[in-house]
Structure formats: structure tokens, C-alpha cells
Amino acid sequence: MSEQTTDYIKPELMACCGAREIRDGDLVIVGTGFPTVAANIAKHIHAPRARLMQESGVYDAQPKRPALSVGDPCLNPGAAMIGSLVDIMGMFLQAGKVDVGFLSGSQVDKYGNINTTVIGDYHQPKSRLPGSGGANPIGLLARRILIIALHDRRRLAERVDFITTPGYIDGPGSREKWGLPGDCGPEVIITNKGVMRFDAETKEAYLASYHPGNTVEEILENTPWDLKVADDVHETEPPTSEELRVIREVLDPMRMITIYLKRGYV
Amino acid sequence: MSKVMTMKEAIERYVHDGDFIFIGGYICRTPFSAIHEIIRQGKKDLTITRSNAADDFDMMIGAGVVKRFISTFLSLGVYGLGRCFRRSLEKGIPHKIEIEEYTNLSLPMMLLAGALGIPFIPVKDMVGSDLLNVRSFMGQNKYKLIDSPFDGSPVLLVPALNPDLAIIHVQQADEEGNAQVWGIEGDCKVGANASKKVIISCERLVSREVIGKDPSRTIVADFNVVAVVEEPFGAHPGYTPGFYDVDFAFGSMYQQASNSVEGFKEFLEEWVYGVEDRTAYIQHYIERFGYAQFKNLQADFDYSFPVSYAY
């Protein structure tokens, strides 16, 4: 790893955490917004043969600025293939060819279930959210799921109000009951305070690392379930100068990533 | 036989109250001009569908033309949440729409089934989620869970959709309706081919000969098309690859306006009811924001190499 720096913002750190989960050669399907930046860092740093796709129909886009949606105009010129939803979601994802799904969730629970449908009662919603979009099939059909979420007692939950996108559902054995392979599912929840991973036995998220400036105590206070802490819990490795260079000079010279500061990624 | 007509004529003739309509687009090539015309003509009780809806469907819901929505998602993305959508479902303003929810895999597959003329199609998503626990107007026909007749494993089946009408915006079409696109397609091809009739809105009308120079780009063949409308800038504030960019400032302005019922009404007055067609809309845009801003949306040119189909 190249030299480290303290001169970075939280969204950059979170994007780097996401990037580090991607392995060379992975086929990655990315959801709207944040995940695209993260996945592209990986391509530039350690996973040059990773390939990204968007549900809208795009494979291996070469965006000149961060894509703000899965339908962003910057995804068109330079892509290796542009087709349709049936091509990407059906022919690639449903057919089992996608290694990594990268999602963000409005509400996420300890089993990595994601709610993007409704807060409160479904029929009398307190807050109506957008719905599944591509998230449900991505969560079910990509092999490893990376989740970005905000870390507070409202965004994290013991149990989400509505399972839009299943993680490990009710815990061990739940995915298998639906005919889903047991070795697939959420791998990590990256929040603005730390990184949680999933216990192989209990399928529950536990704290793996806390970000520089955050503490285990603060994270426990802001997590609404009895969060287990890894024996080797440690500080998250800050972005390297090379990672920051890629973000700032190559992927996002306009610094659009700063909009995530306003969305609570601090 | 030419099917070329104005958007006003096309919507008057082919959109009926109570119709089930597929409206294509994915920020990319959203048929906004058609949507504005539907609102202007005060159509009602429509059932609308497509994967990943945005400001377009939000506006139709807010304007009160929608009764039912076969949905996967509705958000204004980077601008924020869809306020009309939320007001409808949370507070019943202007009325509560009925919503049947699928995903960006199952819905396109249902349209594919419709396009293929088969009654239903197996999909691998939705299992284990609460999407299986909520049913609306499709009732028991939202999905069926069966044991595969081949190996006994659980299989989810979803029904084919065959909308009364599809409306899509494309880069170019000929006067009979052979329609060509490039760039992000979303579910336009399956949606249009699943529907009983198609309205084509296009950036430019071209000859049959031009279509024939690159026929692999055609996603809808002429026989099912009932109207062709040449509507430059017809997807604004969405974009059309090779023609113009997303208008982020305008998208953000809509989101701000739609935060309140009054703001939304003012927006409709100014940009929908206050202009008679897309030409007047463009004129108003230039008067309001200046020609430089309009010009700035126009795409750069970076042509691909020509292809040859000769033998």
C-alpha cells in the first residue's frame, strides 16, 4: 500500500472500503449513485479486469464523470455493450454470471435485509420509499452483496419494516428454503462509522472495523441490535494517496462525491 | 402509408381513459412530450407501467391522470424522492393510486412474455421478500409459486403483460414507424412489442432508405405502430444520446417545485398547461433560460465508424 493521508472526506473512505471488496476479474452490477464510484476505484487500483454493469443495459461503461444514475448519459459513449434490462438483469444476472452486487439501502437490518419500499405500515405508509428497482434481484442473484448504509438507529434496524431485498432473511438456512444457494448473500455493510461483516454461523452482522475518528462505543450506541464485535476489531485503513488520486483526478474531478456529505455520509 | 401526425392528434386518437399504457424511457429517451400532452388533454384512470420510473411518472401521478401503477421503483434519483408519488400514497393527494410492485427483473420479463405471446414466465427474483406478501389490483394473479414440473424445485411465475398502448421516444423513425435507437434501452423493446399499439415519438423522421442502412438498430417494426410524431427535444429534461444531455438544472427545479402541491401546480401551469405543444415548450424554455443554456444541452458529436451490411 502506498502512503496514507488524513486529508480525505468520509464518502471517499467509504468508497475505498467498497472498492477493496472487489477482486480482479469480478463481474459487478452497481446500483444508483455511490456504488459506481467505489467500483471504479477498484478497477483503477487493484482489479483492472473487473467489469461493471448497470441494470439499464450497460456493460463496461467508461464514464468521464461519476454516473449519477443507472441511466446516466455518461454511461453510453465508450461502453463495451449497451442493451436492455432483459440483457443485464436476465441474461447476465439471473443466469448467475454476476459476482458482486453493490447496493445502498434506506434501512438495513442485522441479517443484511434491505428496505427501500416503505417506513411504517405498507398500506398506510409513514414514509413511502422508491421501491425495489433492481435491488431485489441483485440481492438475490449476485454472489456477494456489498451494502452501503448510514449508521444510526433509524437507518439500521433489528428487523426492517419491509424486506425489499432479502439478505439472510431470518438467519441460517433461510435462503436455502427459497432455493437460493447458501454461500451467496450479503458480505459487508459499509457505513459512515465502520465496516460490518457477517458471521458464517449466525448470519448476523458484526463489527469488523471502525473508521478513523469513530469508536466502537459510538458504533454500539448507534446500532439498534446487540452488535457483536470482532476479536480483531481494528481501525479501518484510511484511503491511500493513490486511491485518493484516482478519485480526485481520474473519476471525479468535479468533486461530485461531496454531495454525499449533505446526505449524512460524515 | 404515412402515420405521421402531431402529438396532439396521436394522444387524442390513441389514448383512451382507462387504458393500460407502457411508457418507455430510462432518463434516457423519456417521451416527456407525450406525457405532457396526456396531462394537457386531461386523460384519466390510466394504468401505467415501466421499470424505474422518475419525474415523468411522478408528474402524471401528481396531475391525477393515473389510477393504477405497475411499478418497480419511482425516484427522482440525485434530485430526491418523487414527491407526487409520495403524496399520493401517503396522503391521497390528488388521490391514492393503486400500486402493484415488482422489480427490474420481473417486470421486464413480464413484458418479454407479453411480447413473445406466452401467458407467463418463470423468474428467480422476489422470493424471500415482502414483495410476495403485498398484492393489489392483480390479486392472486400477481404471481404464482409452483413446484417445477421438471425437477420439483420451487418456481415463481409472473403473468405476461399486454398493454393497450406503448409510447416510446427514439432517435429516428420512418413515416410508417420503423423505429431505431442507440444507447441505454431500458425495457423499451419488450414494452413496445408487448403492446397492442405503439406511438413512436422521434428526434428525427428519416426515410425508409436511411433505416435500411443500419437495420440492426430497429427495435420496433412498422406494422404495430399507429402514430409517428417528429418531436425534437421530446425527451427533455431527460436526454437522448447523440442529441442532448440531461437537464440537471431543470430536473432539480421540478423536484423543488413538486415539494409542495402549490409549487407542483405552478410548474404544470407554466410548462404543461401554459404551452400548447413541444415547439411552444422549447420557445418558452429559451425565453426563460436563454438560448445559451438551451444550446449548452446539445450533445457533442463523436460518430461511430459506419457499418456496412453489403455482401
Side-chain angles (χ1 to χ4, degrees):
Chain A
M1 284 278 169
S2 47
E3 76 180 271
Q4 291 170 357
T5 167
T6 52
D7 173 29
Y8 59 86
I9 57 174
K10 203 51 109 21
E12 291 174 324
L13 173 66
M14 293 171 70
C16 292
C17 290
R20 293 166 191 165
E21 299 295 321
I22 291 166
R23 303 168 197 162
D24 202 16
D26 275 346
L27 287 180
V28 187
I29 186 160
V30 289
T32 295
F34 204 75
T36 319
V37 182
N40 268 314
I41 297 170
K43 263 193 85 161
H44 282 85
I45 301 279
H46 63 273
R49 286 175 300 144
R51 293 288 179 268
L52 272 55
M53 63 186 88
Q54 279 83 6
E55 61 196 38
S56 53
V58 184
Y59 175 76
D60 199 20
Q62 309 287 318
K64 298 269 191 295
R65 58 169 175 77
L68 296 177
S69 78
V70 291
D72 194 300
C74 73
L75 297 171
N76 286 298
M81 169 182 155
I82 302 182
S84 67
L85 279 158
V86 170
D87 294 328
I88 300 290
M89 300 301 280
M91 204 165 70
F92 291 176
L93 179 71
Q94 182 169 252
K97 298 189 173 79
V98 177
D99 299 298
V100 178
F102 208 151
L103 301 170
S104 43
S106 309
Q107 193 188 35
V108 180
D109 72 20
K110 65 176 180 183
Y111 290 125
N113 300 308
I114 302 175
N115 174 16
T116 50
T117 301
V118 68
I119 301 296
D121 177 64
Y122 180 79
H123 298 282
Q124 299 295 329
K126 199 165 111 199
S127 196
R128 174 65 215 202
L129 306 171
S132 160
N136 170 290
I138 291 170
L140 286 169
L141 298 165
R143 276 185 280 281
R144 290 152 34 218
I145 305 303
L146 317 179
I147 303 168
I148 295 264
L150 285 172
H151 207 130
D152 61 47
R153 299 180 74 91
R154 202 162 55 90
R155 313 298 183 114
L156 298 179
E158 171 97 30
R159 176 70 166 195
V160 288
D161 294 1
F162 187 99
I163 299 183
T164 312
T165 303
Y168 295 108
I169 315 174
D170 298 312
S174 297
R175 285 176 75 94
E176 289 86 340
K177 262 185 247 165
W178 287 101
L180 299 160
D183 57 351
C184 299
E187 191 148 284
V188 67
I189 305 174
I190 298 159
T191 76
N192 52 321
K193 295 188 191 298
V195 175
M196 293 180 275
R197 296 186 180 279
F198 290 85
D199 185 272
E201 298 298 315
T202 66
K203 303 294 184 190
E204 237 185 80
Y206 66 86
L207 184 65
S209 75
Y210 49 90
H211 296 330
N214 298 106
T215 63
V216 173
E217 292 67 36
E218 177 198 358
I219 289 171
L220 291 177
E221 266 169 41
N222 284 283
T223 308
W225 71 85
D226 178 21
L227 180 68
K228 308 287 189 296
V229 178
D231 294 339
D232 65 342
V233 69
H234 54 279
E235 191 174 82
T236 310
E237 196 180 328
T240 64
S241 50
E242 179 58 7
E243 285 169 331
L244 290 174
R245 187 193 66 79
V246 166
I247 297 171
R248 295 170 185 179
E249 291 176 23
V250 182
L251 298 174
D252 184 20
M254 309 278 282
R255 301 296 286 151
M256 286 157 85
I257 198 167
T258 57
I259 64 172
Y260 291 99
L261 291 172
K262 286 182 221 130
R263 296 187 179 183
Y265 289 59
V266 287
Chain B
M1 184 198 68
S2 171
K3 299 165 187 167
V4 176
M5 61 186 79
T6 64
M7 190 60 82
K8 185 163 182 283
E9 288 169 326
I11 300 300
E12 258 170 16
R13 227 181 269 183
Y14 298 111
V15 176
H16 309 109
D17 291 348
D19 271 357
F20 173 23
I21 310 181
F22 169 85
I23 300 174
Y26 213 96
I27 310 168
C28 185
R29 290 184 290 92
T30 303
F32 253 108
S33 160
I35 287 165
H36 287 182
E37 189 57 36
I38 288 171
I39 295 171
R40 254 194 307 272
Q41 292 189 20
K43 302 291 182 185
K44 52 178 196 285
D45 296 334
L46 302 178
T47 297
I48 55 174
T49 195
R50 85 126 178 283
S51 308
N52 264 33
D55 41 4
D56 42 8
F57 278 38
D58 189 64
M59 189 181 294
M60 293 179 83
I61 292 166
V65 303
V66 178
K67 182 182 183 193
R68 292 172 164 176
F69 177 23
I70 302 177
S71 165
T72 70
F73 181 88
L74 194 155
S75 166
L76 309 194
V78 70
Y79 312 125
L81 293 165
R83 293 292 165 182
C84 295
F85 173 67
R86 293 189 62 174
R87 272 195 297 272
S88 169
L89 291 173
E90 292 169 12
K91 297 181 180 142
I93 301 171
H95 57 258
K96 188 162 179 165
I97 57 163
E98 299 168 46
I99 179 170
E100 198 73 89
E101 298 198 60
Y102 292 96
T103 77
N104 285 359
L105 172 64
S106 47
L107 182 62
M109 293 293 278
M110 291 157 73
L111 293 166
L112 175 66
L116 295 176
I118 55 178
F120 54 80
I121 195 159
V123 289
K124 286 188 179 172
D125 63 345
M126 299 209 290
V127 294
S129 79
D130 284 324
L131 292 170
L132 296 188
N133 297 326
V134 292
R135 296 171 190 265
S136 176
F137 51 91
M138 290 173 73
Q140 292 305 308
N141 288 335
K142 179 180 179 183
Y143 67 87
K144 304 277 178 185
L145 199 55
I146 63 156
D147 295 330
S148 165
F150 292 96
D151 64 9
S153 63
V155 177
L156 190 74
L157 304 176
V158 286
L161 293 180
N162 291 107
D164 297 307
L165 175 71
I167 305 175
I168 63 170
H169 186 73
V170 304
Q171 273 97 340
Q172 61 187 24
D174 67 23
E175 60 177 26
E176 297 199 48
N178 293 302
Q180 299 192 320
V181 302
W182 46 97
I184 288 170
E185 196 203 295
D187 48 9
C188 276
K189 182 174 179 176
V190 287
N193 286 285
S195 300
K196 293 165 193 157
K197 299 186 289 284
V198 184
I199 294 177
I200 300 290
S201 160
C202 62
E203 285 297 321
R204 65 181 178 218
L205 207 51
V206 297
S207 68
R208 173 66 182 75
E209 189 192 357
V210 169
I211 296 287
K213 287 290 182 190
D214 198 357
S216 292
R217 289 196 211 280
T218 306
I219 61 162
V220 178
D222 57 5
F223 63 86
N224 218 22
V225 175
V226 292
V228 179
V229 182
E230 189 178 35
E231 204 74 322
F233 211 51
H236 178 270
Y239 74 101
T240 300
F243 287 80
Y244 44 89
D245 196 358
V246 168
D247 192 339
F248 287 109
F250 196 94
S252 177
M253 182 182 84
Y254 171 75
Q255 205 283 332
Q256 293 295 313
S258 63
N259 269 328
S260 71
V261 175
E262 298 69 35
F264 175 71
K265 279 185 178 151
E266 283 164 23
F267 180 93
L268 284 191
E269 279 306 324
E270 178 172 2
W271 294 101
V272 180
Y273 299 121
V275 293
E276 64 171 342
D277 58 18
R278 200 51 20 173
T279 308
Y281 172 96
I282 298 169
Q283 232 161 29
H284 181 62
Y285 185 93
I286 293 170
E287 282 161 15
R288 172 88 188 266
F289 300 111
Y291 184 70
Q293 185 168 327
F294 175 66
K295 187 78 184 157
N296 196 37
L297 291 172
Q298 291 187 13
D300 298 333
F301 286 99
D302 181 18
Y303 290 106
S304 71
F305 297 108
V307 292
S308 170
Y309 288 75
Y311 54 91

